[in-house]
Amino acid sequence: MKYTDEECERINHNYQIAVRNMNDHAWSAMLDSEKLASLQDIENKLAMDAGRIPSEVVTKELAGEYGAQDGNTLLIDAQSLQKDDFREVLDTLYHEDAHARDWVNSVFSDRQVALSPEERQALEARMTPVPAAEKDFNGYWNHPAEVNARAAGKAGVEQLLSDQQVLAQYDASHKATNQILQTYDTVDLSSVGAAQEKSSAAPAEAVGHGAEAAQGQDHSEEHMR
Protein backbone atom coordinates (compact mmCIF):
# COMPACT_ATOMS: atom_id res chain seq x y z
CA MET A 1 0.00 0.00 0.00
CA LYS A 2 1.33 3.42 -0.99
CA TYR A 3 1.00 6.38 1.36
CA THR A 4 1.13 9.98 0.16
CA ASP A 5 3.55 12.46 1.69
CA GLU A 6 0.61 14.19 3.38
CA GLU A 7 -0.63 10.91 4.87
CA CYS A 8 2.85 10.06 6.14
CA GLU A 9 3.21 13.47 7.76
CA ARG A 10 -0.17 13.19 9.47
CA ILE A 11 0.43 9.63 10.67
CA ASN A 12 3.89 10.48 12.02
CA HIS A 13 2.54 13.58 13.78
CA ASN A 14 -0.29 11.64 15.44
CA TYR A 15 2.08 8.83 16.40
CA GLN A 16 4.41 11.25 18.14
CA ILE A 17 1.52 12.69 20.16
CA ALA A 18 0.45 9.18 21.14
CA VAL A 19 4.00 8.28 22.18
CA ARG A 20 4.33 11.41 24.30
CA ASN A 21 1.07 10.56 26.06
CA MET A 22 2.07 6.98 26.90
CA ASN A 23 2.96 7.52 30.55
CA ASP A 24 1.29 6.75 33.86
CA HIS A 25 -0.02 10.26 34.52
CA ALA A 26 -1.47 10.79 31.05
CA TRP A 27 -2.99 7.31 30.92
CA SER A 28 -4.86 7.90 34.18
CA ALA A 29 -6.17 11.26 32.92
CA MET A 30 -7.26 10.21 29.44
CA LEU A 31 -10.80 9.22 28.54
CA ASP A 32 -11.27 5.73 27.12
CA SER A 33 -12.00 7.29 23.74
CA GLU A 34 -8.67 9.15 23.88
CA LYS A 35 -6.81 5.97 24.84
CA LEU A 36 -8.41 4.13 21.93
CA ALA A 37 -7.53 6.95 19.53
CA SER A 38 -3.90 6.81 20.69
CA LEU A 39 -3.79 3.05 20.15
CA GLN A 40 -5.19 3.55 16.65
CA ASP A 41 -2.51 6.16 15.92
CA ILE A 42 0.16 3.66 16.95
CA GLU A 43 -1.39 0.97 14.76
CA ASN A 44 -1.52 3.40 11.82
CA LYS A 45 2.21 4.04 12.22
CA LEU A 46 2.96 0.31 12.31
CA ALA A 47 0.96 -0.26 9.15
CA MET A 48 2.49 2.70 7.31
CA ASP A 49 6.04 1.60 8.11
CA ALA A 50 5.24 -1.85 6.72
CA GLY A 51 3.41 -0.53 3.66
CA ARG A 52 0.14 -2.26 4.51
CA ILE A 53 -3.39 -1.26 5.38
CA PRO A 54 -3.92 -0.48 9.08
CA SER A 55 -6.11 -2.61 11.28
CA GLU A 56 -9.08 -1.04 13.03
CA VAL A 57 -8.60 -0.92 16.81
CA VAL A 58 -11.81 -1.38 18.81
CA THR A 59 -12.77 -2.30 22.36
CA LYS A 60 -14.96 -5.20 23.40
CA GLU A 61 -15.80 -7.05 26.60
CA LEU A 62 -13.63 -10.15 26.30
CA ALA A 63 -14.40 -11.98 29.54
CA GLY A 64 -10.93 -11.82 31.04
CA GLU A 65 -8.89 -12.06 27.84
CA TYR A 66 -6.36 -9.34 27.02
CA GLY A 67 -7.32 -9.01 23.39
CA ALA A 68 -8.27 -10.77 20.19
CA GLN A 69 -7.93 -10.42 16.45
CA ASP A 70 -10.70 -10.83 13.88
CA GLY A 71 -9.45 -10.42 10.33
CA ASN A 72 -8.07 -6.91 10.12
CA THR A 73 -9.70 -5.80 13.37
CA LEU A 74 -7.83 -5.66 16.69
CA LEU A 75 -10.02 -6.17 19.74
CA ILE A 76 -8.81 -4.72 23.04
CA ASP A 77 -10.57 -5.80 26.22
CA ALA A 78 -12.65 -2.81 27.34
CA GLN A 79 -11.84 -3.42 31.00
CA SER A 80 -8.10 -3.32 30.33
CA LEU A 81 -8.35 0.39 29.49
CA GLN A 82 -9.32 0.99 33.12
CA LYS A 83 -6.09 -0.53 34.41
CA ASP A 84 -3.16 1.62 35.45
CA ASP A 85 -0.50 -0.14 33.40
CA PHE A 86 -0.58 1.26 29.86
CA ARG A 87 2.33 -1.04 28.93
CA GLU A 88 0.06 -4.07 29.27
CA VAL A 89 -2.40 -2.58 26.78
CA LEU A 90 0.43 -1.67 24.41
CA ASP A 91 1.74 -5.22 24.59
CA THR A 92 -1.73 -6.46 23.64
CA LEU A 93 -1.92 -4.04 20.72
CA TYR A 94 1.41 -5.17 19.27
CA HIS A 95 0.54 -8.83 19.97
CA GLU A 96 -2.75 -8.66 18.09
CA ASP A 97 -1.20 -6.55 15.33
CA ALA A 98 1.22 -9.42 14.70
CA HIS A 99 -1.73 -11.77 14.16
CA ALA A 100 -3.49 -9.28 11.88
CA ARG A 101 -0.27 -8.74 9.92
CA ASP A 102 -0.12 -12.44 9.12
CA TRP A 103 -3.77 -12.38 8.10
CA VAL A 104 -3.07 -9.56 5.65
CA ASN A 105 -0.01 -11.37 4.27
CA SER A 106 -1.99 -14.58 3.79
CA VAL A 107 -5.03 -12.96 2.15
CA PHE A 108 -3.54 -10.43 -0.27
CA SER A 109 -1.53 -11.83 -3.17
CA ASP A 110 0.64 -8.72 -3.54
CA ARG A 111 1.83 -9.25 0.03
CA GLN A 112 2.56 -12.92 -0.58
CA VAL A 113 4.76 -12.36 -3.64
CA ALA A 114 6.94 -10.00 -1.60
CA LEU A 115 7.82 -12.78 0.85
CA SER A 116 10.89 -14.94 0.53
CA PRO A 117 10.42 -18.74 0.42
CA GLU A 118 11.55 -18.90 4.05
CA GLU A 119 9.08 -16.18 5.07
CA ARG A 120 6.22 -17.93 3.26
CA GLN A 121 7.06 -21.19 5.00
CA ALA A 122 7.10 -19.48 8.40
CA LEU A 123 3.81 -17.74 7.59
CA GLU A 124 2.19 -21.05 6.69
CA ALA A 125 3.28 -22.49 10.04
CA ARG A 126 1.82 -19.52 11.91
CA MET A 127 -1.45 -19.77 9.99
CA THR A 128 -2.14 -23.36 11.08
CA PRO A 129 -4.97 -23.72 13.64
CA VAL A 130 -4.06 -22.64 17.15
CA PRO A 131 -5.25 -25.03 19.89
CA ALA A 132 -7.64 -23.61 22.45
CA ALA A 133 -5.67 -22.69 25.56
CA GLU A 134 -8.19 -24.31 27.92
CA LYS A 135 -7.88 -27.63 26.07
CA ASP A 136 -4.18 -27.69 25.18
CA PHE A 137 -2.27 -24.91 26.90
CA ASN A 138 1.16 -26.15 25.88
CA GLY A 139 0.03 -26.46 22.27
CA TYR A 140 -1.39 -22.95 22.41
CA TRP A 141 1.58 -21.40 24.18
CA ASN A 142 4.17 -22.99 21.88
CA HIS A 143 2.31 -22.47 18.60
CA PRO A 144 4.48 -20.45 16.17
CA ALA A 145 1.84 -17.72 15.90
CA GLU A 146 1.70 -17.19 19.66
CA VAL A 147 5.46 -17.38 20.15
CA ASN A 148 5.89 -14.76 17.46
CA ALA A 149 3.09 -12.51 18.71
CA ARG A 150 4.50 -12.49 22.25
CA ALA A 151 7.87 -11.48 20.83
CA ALA A 152 6.18 -8.74 18.79
CA GLY A 153 4.42 -7.45 21.91
CA LYS A 154 7.64 -7.21 23.88
CA ALA A 155 9.62 -5.65 21.02
CA GLY A 156 6.83 -3.18 20.25
CA VAL A 157 6.65 -1.82 23.78
CA GLU A 158 10.42 -1.50 23.93
CA GLN A 159 10.47 0.37 20.60
CA LEU A 160 7.75 2.80 21.68
CA LEU A 161 9.52 3.58 24.95
CA SER A 162 12.73 4.11 22.98
CA ASP A 163 10.89 6.49 20.63
CA GLN A 164 9.60 8.30 23.70
CA GLN A 165 13.16 8.94 24.87
CA VAL A 166 14.12 10.23 21.42
CA LEU A 167 11.19 12.63 21.45
CA ALA A 168 12.01 13.81 24.97
CA GLN A 169 15.56 14.60 23.85
CA TYR A 170 14.25 16.39 20.77
CA ASP A 171 11.86 18.46 22.89
CA ALA A 172 14.62 19.35 25.32
CA SER A 173 17.06 20.36 22.58
CA HIS A 174 14.41 22.54 20.94
CA LYS A 175 13.22 23.98 24.26
CA ALA A 176 9.72 22.65 23.56
CA THR A 177 7.12 22.07 26.26
CA ASN A 178 6.79 18.37 26.83
CA GLN A 179 3.53 17.26 25.21
CA ILE A 180 2.63 15.09 28.18
CA LEU A 181 2.88 17.99 30.61
CA GLN A 182 1.23 20.45 28.26
CA THR A 183 -1.78 18.27 27.68
CA TYR A 184 -2.37 16.58 31.02
CA ASP A 185 -0.49 18.44 33.76
CA THR A 186 -1.11 22.12 33.02
CA VAL A 187 -3.98 22.26 30.53
CA ASP A 188 -7.64 21.55 31.21
CA LEU A 189 -8.71 18.34 29.46
CA SER A 190 -11.32 20.26 27.49
CA SER A 191 -8.49 21.89 25.55
CA VAL A 192 -6.59 18.68 24.76
CA GLY A 193 -7.31 18.88 21.05
CA ALA A 194 -6.08 22.44 20.76
CA ALA A 195 -2.97 21.69 22.79
CA GLN A 196 -2.08 18.74 20.62
CA GLU A 197 -2.53 20.65 17.38
CA LYS A 198 -0.14 23.38 18.56
CA SER A 199 2.71 20.98 19.25
CA SER A 200 5.55 20.72 16.76
CA ALA A 201 6.47 17.35 15.36
CA ALA A 202 9.94 15.89 15.46
CA PRO A 203 11.42 14.84 12.11
CA ALA A 204 9.84 11.61 10.91
CA GLU A 205 13.23 9.89 10.76
CA ALA A 206 13.73 10.54 14.47
CA VAL A 207 11.23 7.89 15.49
CA GLY A 208 9.71 4.83 13.92
CA HIS A 209 9.52 1.10 13.99
CA GLY A 210 11.39 0.47 10.76
CA ALA A 211 10.97 -3.12 9.62
CA GLU A 212 8.42 -4.80 11.82
CA ALA A 213 10.31 -6.85 14.35
CA ALA A 214 8.35 -10.06 14.24
CA GLN A 215 5.86 -11.67 11.91
CA GLY A 216 2.54 -12.38 13.41
CA GLN A 217 -1.36 -14.66 12.40
CA ASP A 218 -5.30 -14.66 12.34
CA HIS A 219 -7.89 -17.29 13.10
CA SER A 220 -10.01 -14.72 15.00
CA GLU A 221 -8.30 -15.86 18.16
CA GLU A 222 -8.11 -14.49 21.67
CA HIS A 223 -4.83 -14.40 23.49
CA MET A 224 -3.56 -14.74 27.00
CA ARG A 225 -0.08 -14.26 28.42
Side-chain angles (χ1 to χ4, degrees):
M1 178 177 177
K2 297 290 187 180
Y3 287 84
T4 66
D5 290 343
E6 291 77 12
E7 288 172 330
C8 291
E9 182 178 0
R10 173 180 55 81
I11 290 171
N12 279 320
H13 175 72
N14 291 342
Y15 172 74
Q16 291 176 23
I17 292 174
V19 169
R20 285 181 168 100
N21 286 334
M22 284 296 148
N23 67 95
D24 293 331
H25 185 85
W27 188 257
S28 65
M30 291 162 69
L31 301 173
D32 284 358
S33 59
E34 293 172 319
K35 295 176 182 178
L36 187 62
S38 292
L39 296 175
Q40 184 66 65
D41 288 334
I42 295 168
E43 167 61 21
N44 293 346
K45 170 68 170 173
L46 275 172
M48 182 188 72
D49 286 350
R52 60 179 173 84
I53 57 175
S55 299
E56 181 183 11
V57 183
V58 302
T59 57
K60 183 179 180 180
E61 296 290 344
L62 294 176
E65 301 293 342
Y66 288 98
Q69 168 259 335
D70 184 5
N72 208 33
T73 300
L74 311 183
L75 308 174
I76 305 297
D77 178 44
Q79 294 301 316
S80 69
L81 294 184
Q82 305 298 321
K83 297 180 180 179
D84 295 333
D85 190 359
F86 68 90
R87 297 168 189 81
E88 181 179 289
V89 180
L90 283 176
D91 186 285
T92 298
L93 176 73
Y94 286 111
H95 182 118
E96 301 305 340
D97 172 83
H99 291 318
R101 184 167 65 247
D102 271 357
W103 179 85
V104 169
N105 287 341
S106 68
V107 169
F108 296 98
S109 58
D110 61 325
R111 299 292 298 179
Q112 295 176 23
V113 298
L115 301 176
S116 68
E118 293 76 16
E119 289 171 331
R120 283 196 294 272
Q121 184 177 15
L123 175 63
E124 290 173 0
R126 292 193 299 273
M127 292 302 293
T128 58
V130 179
E134 61 272 18
K135 294 182 179 179
D136 181 7
F137 182 80
N138 286 335
Y140 163 84
W141 188 259
N142 295 311
H143 191 280
E146 290 304 319
V147 172
N148 184 72
R150 289 196 301 274
K154 182 176 184 293
V157 174
E158 291 175 350
Q159 180 64 63
L160 185 140
L161 295 178
S162 175
D163 286 348
Q164 194 173 74
Q165 292 300 312
V166 171
L167 287 171
Q169 293 171 6
Y170 176 87
D171 291 345
S173 66
H174 288 74
K175 295 182 171 59
T177 300
N178 187 292
Q179 183 63 41
I180 298 168
L181 300 179
Q182 183 183 49
T183 301
Y184 293 101
D185 286 349
T186 63
V187 178
D188 184 87
L189 286 177
S190 63
S191 62
V192 165
Q196 290 177 339
E197 288 303 316
K198 292 178 181 178
S199 66
S200 61
E205 61 270 19
V207 296
H209 295 86
E212 291 179 289
Q215 304 298 315
Q217 141 172 343
D218 163 14
H219 305 342
S220 305
E221 64 179 285
E222 297 181 350
H223 95 267
M224 57 194 295
R225 294 190 298 276

